[in-house]
Amino acid sequence: MEVKEEFVANSTPEYLSGLEEKIKKHRYEVLIAVGGGSVIDVVKISSARAGRPFISVPTTASHDGIASSVASLKSLDKPYSIKTQSPTAVIADSKIIRHSPYRFTASGCGDVLSKNVSVLDWRLGHEVKKEYYGAYAASLALMSANLVMEKAEEIRERTEEGIRTLLEALVSCGVAMSIAGSSRPCSGSEHLFSHALDMIAPKPALHGEQCGVGTIMMAKLHGLDWKKIRDTLKLLGGPTAAAEMSIEEEYIIEALVKARDIRPERYTILNEANLTHSEARSLAEFCEVI
Ligand code: ZN
């Protein structure tokens, strides 16, 4: 059975249930997802619904869904990721990733760097809302971000070690989510900002690109060294401003204001900041995103 790339990006609920039926009808014992993030998410969801395991074989390193139990597809009725199943195995060939379009690799780095913020948002949820917080899962996510920051130059040069570090970081983020039992260690205010952009921008950018830009602004709200994060993203060749993502500034401001309402149960720095439109504009201007 072949999942065609062109159907995947805008896969409808009917397409997903068709796949599920096919898996059941042909009694496939295991599914192998070979492709980019969307292909892996489609196979992850349909194999889980059919009660079959799947193996993840990513051909790009664009986000941490390659090894996690969560999936996000625009056709699902939720604008954020849902919990499905983890892959039984991940087979990632660093040579294939090295030769994939670099934009996807830089996007994967943006997704990993976002853990600088998501871990702090998780901690905040624990302190304010008495939410479960796991130090081990949090440390694993943060370590992944730190290692990618340290190896930024090597990743940009696509050395074997650089690409391996990114792949291991993406897999570790998936493991952190599995340990936590939710996407909490890897998805905070910066992901809510990206989900909001997916909903309102006419042509959203890649998930990891939007998360990276969101991380710059959320890091500022958290009082982190946001310039270091921005400069690392620049070094990695990822976007750090709205224009580089071809997204107009009005959508950035709207997404900053709307983000806190997307998942009300997920407490983040956006609940503390409670940004108005003019505060959102000031934040984006201050961080040179617009
Ligand atoms: Zn992500």
Side-chain angles (χ1 to χ4, degrees):
M1 183 181 74
E2 199 181 335
V3 177
K4 293 250 191 290
E5 189 97 36
E6 63 262 35
F7 296 136
V8 166
N10 296 309
S11 55
T12 58
E14 291 73 34
Y15 179 70
L16 285 173
S17 39
L19 279 181
E20 180 189 341
E21 288 312 311
K22 230 174 179 175
I23 295 167
K24 285 180 181 162
K25 188 177 154 206
H26 294 284
R27 298 185 180 178
Y28 294 124
E29 286 179 20
V30 62
L31 280 291
I32 302 174
V34 185
S38 305
V39 170
I40 288 170
D41 275 358
V42 160
V43 177
K44 190 187 286 182
I45 294 168
S46 47
S47 62
R49 286 181 180 171
R52 302 289 192 279
F54 87 103
I55 294 171
S56 171
V57 187
T59 53
T60 63
S62 59
H63 62 69
D64 60 22
I66 60 172
S68 75
S69 58
V70 296
S72 87
L73 281 177
K74 296 200 176 80
S75 59
L76 298 170
D77 53 0
K78 289 199 175 81
Y80 49 85
S81 47
I82 56 155
K83 200 165 184 307
T84 67
Q85 66 171 348
S86 302
T88 304
V90 181
I91 303 170
D93 186 337
S94 54
K95 279 191 204 78
I96 292 174
I97 306 295
R98 272 173 84 182
H99 294 106
S100 67
Y102 183 76
R103 186 184 170 196
F104 292 117
T105 306
S107 168
C109 294
D111 203 16
V112 176
L113 256 58
S114 76
K115 305 340 171 199
N116 281 299
V117 160
S118 56
V119 166
L120 285 187
D121 281 324
W122 192 17
R123 182 96 214 160
L124 195 62
H126 172 67
E127 281 161 11
V128 179
K129 297 280 174 191
K130 305 288 167 244
E131 229 183 273
Y132 155 76
Y133 173 84
Y136 191 92
S139 305
L140 194 55
L142 203 53
M143 181 181 74
S144 306
N146 288 335
L147 286 171
V148 164
M149 287 177 86
E150 270 172 37
K151 297 274 178 203
E153 240 163 284
E154 299 214 31
I155 295 170
R156 185 76 175 97
E157 285 163 18
R158 301 190 221 195
T159 66
E160 168 67 30
E161 201 187 333
I163 298 298
R164 198 163 14 90
T165 301
L166 173 61
L167 281 170
E168 287 170 358
L170 292 168
V171 171
S172 297
C173 290
V175 174
M177 287 187 261
S178 295
I179 294 171
S182 80
S183 62
R184 206 39 163 131
C186 297
S187 171
S189 48
E190 76 302 327
H191 269 66
L192 294 175
F193 166 75
S194 171
H195 297 322
L197 274 181
D198 284 341
M199 288 169 73
I200 60 175
K203 244 187 133 228
L206 294 177
H207 169 82
E209 293 176 331
Q210 295 181 162
C211 288
V213 171
T215 300
I216 299 170
M217 296 183 283
M218 303 308 154
K220 165 76 179 81
L221 290 180
H222 270 292
L224 284 176
D225 186 352
W226 63 273
K227 282 186 182 162
K228 186 179 173 196
I229 292 171
R230 190 226 15 221
D231 293 348
T232 309
L233 277 169
K234 272 193 178 157
L235 181 62
L236 283 160
T240 59
E244 290 168 322
M245 298 193 292
S246 302
I247 293 179
E248 286 174 38
E249 60 179 58
E250 62 188 275
Y251 298 115
I252 300 287
I253 294 159
E254 196 60 32
L256 280 171
V257 174
K258 273 213 166 107
R260 63 175 176 263
D261 298 325
I262 287 189
R263 272 186 105 156
E265 82 286 4
R266 185 153 285 194
Y267 195 85
T268 71
I269 195 71
L270 286 166
N271 296 91
E272 306 255 305
N274 221 2
L275 297 171
T276 61
H277 279 83
S278 81
E279 286 165 344
R281 174 178 288 281
S282 305
L283 174 67
E285 283 174 353
F286 187 83
C287 296
E288 293 165 8
V289 167
I290 61 172

PDB file of all heavy atoms in Angstrom, residues 63-65 111-112 114-115 177 186-187 190-191 195 207-208 211, ligand 1:
ATOM      1  N   HIS A  63      10.596  17.909  12.029  1.00  0.00           N
ATOM      2  CA  HIS A  63      10.010  18.104  13.372  1.00  0.00           C
ATOM      3  C   HIS A  63      10.113  16.835  14.214  1.00  0.00           C
ATOM      4  O   HIS A  63      10.484  15.777  13.705  1.00  0.00           O
ATOM      5  CB  HIS A  63       8.571  18.626  13.299  1.00  0.00           C
ATOM      6  CG  HIS A  63       7.597  17.704  12.626  1.00  0.00           C
ATOM      7  ND1 HIS A  63       7.209  16.513  13.174  1.00  0.00           N
ATOM      8  CD2 HIS A  63       6.932  17.819  11.453  1.00  0.00           C
ATOM      9  CE1 HIS A  63       6.328  15.927  12.386  1.00  0.00           C
ATOM     10  NE2 HIS A  63       6.156  16.696  11.317  1.00  0.00           N
ATOM     11  N   ASP A  64       9.768  16.972  15.499  1.00  0.00           N
ATOM     12  CA  ASP A  64      10.003  15.843  16.407  1.00  0.00           C
ATOM     13  C   ASP A  64       8.902  14.773  16.358  1.00  0.00           C
ATOM     14  O   ASP A  64       8.953  13.811  17.117  1.00  0.00           O
ATOM     15  CB  ASP A  64      10.258  16.338  17.841  1.00  0.00           C
ATOM     16  CG  ASP A  64       9.094  17.121  18.409  1.00  0.00           C
ATOM     17  OD1 ASP A  64       7.973  16.964  17.924  1.00  0.00           O
ATOM     18  OD2 ASP A  64       9.329  17.906  19.352  1.00  0.00           O
ATOM     19  N   GLY A  65       7.938  14.940  15.448  1.00  0.00           N
ATOM     20  CA  GLY A  65       6.902  13.913  15.285  1.00  0.00           C
ATOM     21  C   GLY A  65       7.441  12.620  14.701  1.00  0.00           C
ATOM     22  O   GLY A  65       6.759  11.600  14.730  1.00  0.00           O
ATOM     23  N   ASP A 111      12.172  23.397  15.880  1.00  0.00           N
ATOM     24  CA  ASP A 111      11.309  22.604  16.763  1.00  0.00           C
ATOM     25  C   ASP A 111      12.077  22.169  18.015  1.00  0.00           C
ATOM     26  O   ASP A 111      11.536  22.173  19.111  1.00  0.00           O
ATOM     27  CB  ASP A 111      10.776  21.386  15.990  1.00  0.00           C
ATOM     28  CG  ASP A 111       9.494  20.832  16.593  1.00  0.00           C
ATOM     29  OD1 ASP A 111       8.846  21.537  17.406  1.00  0.00           O
ATOM     30  OD2 ASP A 111       9.125  19.696  16.252  1.00  0.00           O
ATOM     31  N   VAL A 112      13.339  21.813  17.845  1.00  0.00           N
ATOM     32  CA  VAL A 112      14.134  21.375  19.007  1.00  0.00           C
ATOM     33  C   VAL A 112      14.463  22.575  19.914  1.00  0.00           C
ATOM     34  O   VAL A 112      14.356  22.489  21.141  1.00  0.00           O
ATOM     35  CB  VAL A 112      15.430  20.653  18.561  1.00  0.00           C
ATOM     36  CG1 VAL A 112      16.287  20.304  19.774  1.00  0.00           C
ATOM     37  CG2 VAL A 112      15.108  19.380  17.787  1.00  0.00           C
ATOM     38  N   SER A 114      12.769  25.052  20.467  1.00  0.00           N
ATOM     39  CA  SER A 114      11.566  25.511  21.188  1.00  0.00           C
ATOM     40  C   SER A 114      11.470  24.894  22.585  1.00  0.00           C
ATOM     41  O   SER A 114      10.738  25.400  23.435  1.00  0.00           O
ATOM     42  CB  SER A 114      10.308  25.208  20.367  1.00  0.00           C
ATOM     43  OG  SER A 114       9.969  23.843  20.439  1.00  0.00           O
ATOM     44  N   LYS A 115      12.218  23.825  22.828  1.00  0.00           N
ATOM     45  CA  LYS A 115      12.154  23.174  24.155  1.00  0.00           C
ATOM     46  C   LYS A 115      12.724  24.072  25.251  1.00  0.00           C
ATOM     47  O   LYS A 115      12.436  23.884  26.437  1.00  0.00           O
ATOM     48  CB  LYS A 115      12.891  21.827  24.161  1.00  0.00           C
ATOM     49  CG  LYS A 115      12.491  20.793  23.120  1.00  0.00           C
ATOM     50  CD  LYS A 115      11.162  20.925  22.463  1.00  0.00           C
ATOM     51  CE  LYS A 115      10.974  19.966  21.314  1.00  0.00           C
ATOM     52  NZ  LYS A 115       9.903  20.338  20.374  1.00  0.00           N
ATOM     53  N   MET A 177       8.380  12.992  25.389  1.00  0.00           N
ATOM     54  CA  MET A 177       6.913  13.047  25.362  1.00  0.00           C
ATOM     55  C   MET A 177       6.311  11.718  25.808  1.00  0.00           C
ATOM     56  O   MET A 177       5.293  11.694  26.487  1.00  0.00           O
ATOM     57  CB  MET A 177       6.431  13.421  23.957  1.00  0.00           C
ATOM     58  CG  MET A 177       6.687  14.874  23.620  1.00  0.00           C
ATOM     59  SD  MET A 177       5.932  15.359  22.050  1.00  0.00           S
ATOM     60  CE  MET A 177       7.337  15.257  20.945  1.00  0.00           C
ATOM     61  N   CYS A 186       7.528  19.247  25.289  1.00  0.00           N
ATOM     62  CA  CYS A 186       8.014  19.702  23.980  1.00  0.00           C
ATOM     63  C   CYS A 186       7.092  20.699  23.303  1.00  0.00           C
ATOM     64  O   CYS A 186       7.353  21.090  22.162  1.00  0.00           O
ATOM     65  CB  CYS A 186       8.221  18.490  23.061  1.00  0.00           C
ATOM     66  SG  CYS A 186       9.474  17.372  23.701  1.00  0.00           S
ATOM     67  N   SER A 187       6.036  21.099  23.944  1.00  0.00           N
ATOM     68  CA  SER A 187       5.071  21.972  23.284  1.00  0.00           C
ATOM     69  C   SER A 187       4.452  22.942  24.290  1.00  0.00           C
ATOM     70  O   SER A 187       3.617  22.554  25.104  1.00  0.00           O
ATOM     71  CB  SER A 187       3.985  21.097  22.625  1.00  0.00           C
ATOM     72  OG  SER A 187       2.934  21.881  22.161  1.00  0.00           O
ATOM     73  N   GLU A 190       5.184  28.644  22.542  1.00  0.00           N
ATOM     74  CA  GLU A 190       5.691  28.826  21.169  1.00  0.00           C
ATOM     75  C   GLU A 190       4.963  27.926  20.181  1.00  0.00           C
ATOM     76  O   GLU A 190       4.741  28.311  19.034  1.00  0.00           O
ATOM     77  CB  GLU A 190       7.220  28.575  21.133  1.00  0.00           C
ATOM     78  CG  GLU A 190       7.679  27.122  21.192  1.00  0.00           C
ATOM     79  CD  GLU A 190       7.214  26.337  22.403  1.00  0.00           C
ATOM     80  OE1 GLU A 190       7.087  26.934  23.491  1.00  0.00           O
ATOM     81  OE2 GLU A 190       6.978  25.127  22.282  1.00  0.00           O
ATOM     82  N   HIS A 191       4.536  26.723  20.646  1.00  0.00           N
ATOM     83  CA  HIS A 191       3.757  25.835  19.779  1.00  0.00           C
ATOM     84  C   HIS A 191       2.327  26.370  19.630  1.00  0.00           C
ATOM     85  O   HIS A 191       1.748  26.268  18.562  1.00  0.00           O
ATOM     86  CB  HIS A 191       3.751  24.408  20.332  1.00  0.00           C
ATOM     87  CG  HIS A 191       4.867  23.559  19.800  1.00  0.00           C
ATOM     88  ND1 HIS A 191       6.184  23.821  20.078  1.00  0.00           N
ATOM     89  CD2 HIS A 191       4.860  22.474  18.972  1.00  0.00           C
ATOM     90  CE1 HIS A 191       6.941  22.924  19.453  1.00  0.00           C
ATOM     91  NE2 HIS A 191       6.158  22.096  18.775  1.00  0.00           N
ATOM     92  N   HIS A 195       0.441  27.014  16.209  1.00  0.00           N
ATOM     93  CA  HIS A 195      -0.896  26.471  15.899  1.00  0.00           C
ATOM     94  C   HIS A 195      -1.853  27.603  15.516  1.00  0.00           C
ATOM     95  O   HIS A 195      -2.682  27.450  14.612  1.00  0.00           O
ATOM     96  CB  HIS A 195      -1.466  25.711  17.096  1.00  0.00           C
ATOM     97  CG  HIS A 195      -0.661  24.508  17.501  1.00  0.00           C
ATOM     98  ND1 HIS A 195      -0.052  23.679  16.587  1.00  0.00           N
ATOM     99  CD2 HIS A 195      -0.377  23.989  18.728  1.00  0.00           C
ATOM    100  CE1 HIS A 195       0.585  22.703  17.244  1.00  0.00           C
ATOM    101  NE2 HIS A 195       0.409  22.877  18.532  1.00  0.00           N
ATOM    102  N   HIS A 207       6.088  23.973  10.347  1.00  0.00           N
ATOM    103  CA  HIS A 207       5.854  23.898  11.800  1.00  0.00           C
ATOM    104  C   HIS A 207       7.082  24.364  12.612  1.00  0.00           C
ATOM    105  O   HIS A 207       6.971  25.240  13.470  1.00  0.00           O
ATOM    106  CB  HIS A 207       5.477  22.452  12.155  1.00  0.00           C
ATOM    107  CG  HIS A 207       5.473  22.161  13.611  1.00  0.00           C
ATOM    108  ND1 HIS A 207       4.410  22.476  14.430  1.00  0.00           N
ATOM    109  CD2 HIS A 207       6.411  21.597  14.427  1.00  0.00           C
ATOM    110  CE1 HIS A 207       4.692  22.119  15.672  1.00  0.00           C
ATOM    111  NE2 HIS A 207       5.898  21.585  15.696  1.00  0.00           N
ATOM    112  N   GLY A 208       8.229  23.794  12.311  1.00  0.00           N
ATOM    113  CA  GLY A 208       9.427  24.118  13.078  1.00  0.00           C
ATOM    114  C   GLY A 208       9.900  25.555  12.873  1.00  0.00           C
ATOM    115  O   GLY A 208      10.491  26.163  13.774  1.00  0.00           O
ATOM    116  N   CYS A 211       7.558  27.615  15.063  1.00  0.00           N
ATOM    117  CA  CYS A 211       7.886  27.373  16.474  1.00  0.00           C
ATOM    118  C   CYS A 211       9.181  28.107  16.838  1.00  0.00           C
ATOM    119  O   CYS A 211       9.307  28.655  17.937  1.00  0.00           O
ATOM    120  CB  CYS A 211       8.049  25.883  16.757  1.00  0.00           C
ATOM    121  SG  CYS A 211       6.487  25.002  16.726  1.00  0.00           S
TER     122      CYS A 211
HETATM  123 ZN    ZN B   1       6.805  20.631  17.399  1.00  0.00          ZN
END
